[in-house]
């Protein structure tokens, strides 16, 4: 079974490339400490896979953040990813969940993609939410930002004890525009037949052969995908120090300070003695 990997592939006779992302254990780690309603878990699972695929299209060493913001019950959902395929994600709700469609959850809003290379300038792209699915908005983003025809397929399988998601991306190569246009049309017709069962359960090579048995497909080495929250007690100490002496003294008087991580729900507790040690660093 495919678990927590990104797979890149290339059509040798076509001006086309592709990627497949699978998340399972890493997705479970991200979701397990949150009491999100099922539709929100599903939305985050799709966003994790989409961010992995989007990150893999960028030839940079840096970070990416994909955010959805709207006036629906889910006012904010975001996944942060890196070129090393490490991710973390969070959602914030402002109302009870009723209907479960993409636009029912987010309402009217936009998607914000922020790319932060380790060297070079930061880039932000903003696009209004399009259509009735995350894939509709992402395909519109690619058309606007990269001007490369792109098709995405996202599937999830979430149960009480297991979380899985997978996604497939097809994108033209900027070589021969006319040939790429025809190649894209031909391959989308074939790829539109893919099912959730095929993408989630078949080994990569078997699934690709089933879809593209008439094509010459080259598959590249897999890249691991991992959930990495990034929080630590040391980072919390730095955050406390940044509050300033007055704020720390107030918490010392209260007897304790608790800091919770939005991404993994870990809680870090500091008593008066520990806060006094931090105060001594001023």
């Amino acid at each position: 079974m495919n678990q927590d990997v990104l797979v890149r592939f290339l059509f040798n006779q076509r001006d086309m490339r592709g990627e497949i992302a699978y998340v399972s254990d890493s997705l479970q780690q991200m979701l397990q400490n949150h009491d999100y309603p099922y539709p929100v878990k599903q939305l985050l699972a799709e966003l994790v896979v989409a961010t992995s695929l989007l990150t893999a299209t960028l030839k940079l060493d840096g970070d990416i953040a994909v955010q959805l913001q709207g006036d629906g019950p889910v006012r904010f959902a975001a996944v942060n990813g890196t070129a090393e395929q490490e991710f973390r994600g969070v959602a914030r709700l402002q109302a009870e969940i009723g209907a479960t469609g993409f636009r029912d959850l987010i309402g009217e809003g936009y998607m914000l993609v922020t790319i932060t290379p380790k060297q070079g300038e930061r880039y932000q792209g903003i696009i209004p939410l399009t259509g009735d699915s995350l894939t509709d908005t992402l395909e519109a983003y690619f058309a606007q930002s990269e001007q490369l025809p792109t098709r995405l397929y996202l599937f999830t399988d979430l149960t009480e004890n297991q979380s899985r998601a997978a996604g497939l991306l097809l994108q033209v190569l900027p070589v021969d525009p006319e040939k790429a246009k025809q190649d894209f049309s031909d391959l989308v017709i074939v790829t539109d037949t893919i099912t959730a069962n095929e993408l989630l359960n078949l080994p990569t090579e078997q699934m690709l052969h089933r879809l593209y048995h008439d094509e010459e497909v080259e598959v590249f080495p897999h890249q691991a995908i991992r959930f990495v929250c990034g929080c630590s007690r040391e980072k919390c100490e730095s955050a406390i120090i940044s509050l300033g002496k007055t704020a720390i003294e107030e918490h010392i008087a209260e007897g304790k300070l608790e800091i919770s991580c939005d991404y993994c729900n870990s809680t870090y507790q500091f008593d008066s003695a520990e806060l006094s040690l931090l105060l001594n660093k001023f």
Side-chain angles (χ1 to χ4, degrees):
M1 183 180 296
N2 305 298
Q3 287 191 337
D4 304 290
V5 293
L6 173 78
V7 183
R8 296 176 174 87
F9 61 96
L10 184 69
F11 296 91
N12 290 331
Q13 306 302 322
R14 303 271 194 173
D15 290 344
M16 295 285 297
R17 58 181 294 277
E19 302 163 3
I20 306 172
Y22 306 95
V23 289
S24 180
D25 292 344
S26 59
L27 180 62
Q28 181 69 16
Q29 291 171 24
M30 188 189 83
L31 296 175
Q32 64 186 358
N33 292 326
H34 293 276
D35 190 25
Y36 295 128
Y38 177 86
V40 179
K41 290 184 178 181
Q42 189 173 39
L43 174 65
L44 278 172
E46 289 187 352
L47 197 57
V48 165
V49 172
T51 302
S52 175
L53 294 170
L54 183 57
T55 304
T57 67
L58 306 173
K59 296 180 180 179
L60 60 85
D61 183 13
D63 302 333
I64 186 171
V66 182
Q67 301 177 11
L68 301 172
Q69 298 187 29
D71 60 6
V74 180
R75 67 176 179 85
F76 176 84
V79 171
N80 299 336
T82 72
E84 291 76 29
Q85 289 297 322
E86 298 174 344
F87 74 87
R88 61 182 184 172
V90 67
R92 297 192 178 98
L93 281 62
Q94 60 186 359
E96 291 188 5
I97 303 298
T100 61
F102 175 70
R103 296 304 291 271
D104 298 317
L105 295 174
I106 306 298
E108 294 299 322
Y110 57 90
M111 182 178 74
L112 174 66
V113 178
T114 305
I115 300 168
T116 308
K118 292 182 179 178
Q119 295 184 345
E121 295 184 359
R122 186 183 189 195
Y123 164 81
Q124 279 192 334
I126 302 176
I127 185 168
L129 299 182
T130 303
D132 296 320
S133 68
L134 178 59
T135 55
D136 289 339
T137 298
L138 285 164
E139 288 172 3
Y141 167 79
F142 277 109
Q144 173 182 294
S145 66
E146 298 192 23
Q147 299 181 341
L148 293 173
T150 303
R151 182 63 62 92
L152 289 108
Y153 306 82
L154 303 175
F155 298 106
T156 63
D157 177 23
L158 307 179
T159 65
E160 184 176 346
N161 300 315
Q162 176 180 263
S163 300
R164 296 192 302 156
L168 187 152
L169 176 147
L170 285 180
Q171 189 175 70
V172 303
L173 295 171
V175 183
D176 181 339
E178 287 304 315
K179 182 177 184 301
K181 181 179 179 180
Q182 185 61 52
D183 289 345
F184 182 77
S185 176
D186 293 343
L187 291 177
V188 162
I189 291 174
V190 174
T191 314
D192 279 348
T193 66
I194 195 170
T195 65
N197 179 62
E198 288 173 326
L199 188 57
L200 286 164
N201 295 314
L202 289 180
T204 302
E205 287 75 10
Q206 182 179 345
M207 186 274 296
L208 289 174
H209 178 71
R210 179 176 292 192
L211 275 180
Y212 310 120
H213 54 270
D214 290 332
E215 305 291 337
E216 185 179 328
V217 181
E218 181 179 0
V219 180
F220 297 96
H222 299 185
Q223 182 179 5
I225 299 175
R226 298 190 301 145
F227 167 69
V228 177
C229 173
C231 71
S232 69
R233 192 170 186 83
E234 290 72 21
K235 289 183 179 179
C236 290
E237 290 176 354
S238 297
I240 293 171
I241 292 172
S242 71
L243 295 175
K245 294 178 65 175
T246 301
I248 296 176
E249 288 170 347
E250 291 175 354
H251 287 294
I252 290 175
E254 294 173 1
K256 67 176 182 178
L257 173 61
E258 290 186 352
I259 298 179
S260 296
C261 174
D262 288 340
Y263 292 101
C264 69
N265 259 354
S266 296
T267 299
Y268 298 89
Q269 298 182 344
F270 296 84
D271 59 25
S272 294
E274 292 169 318
L275 292 172
S276 296
L277 290 175
L278 296 177
L279 188 62
N280 291 334
K281 296 187 177 181
F282 284 91

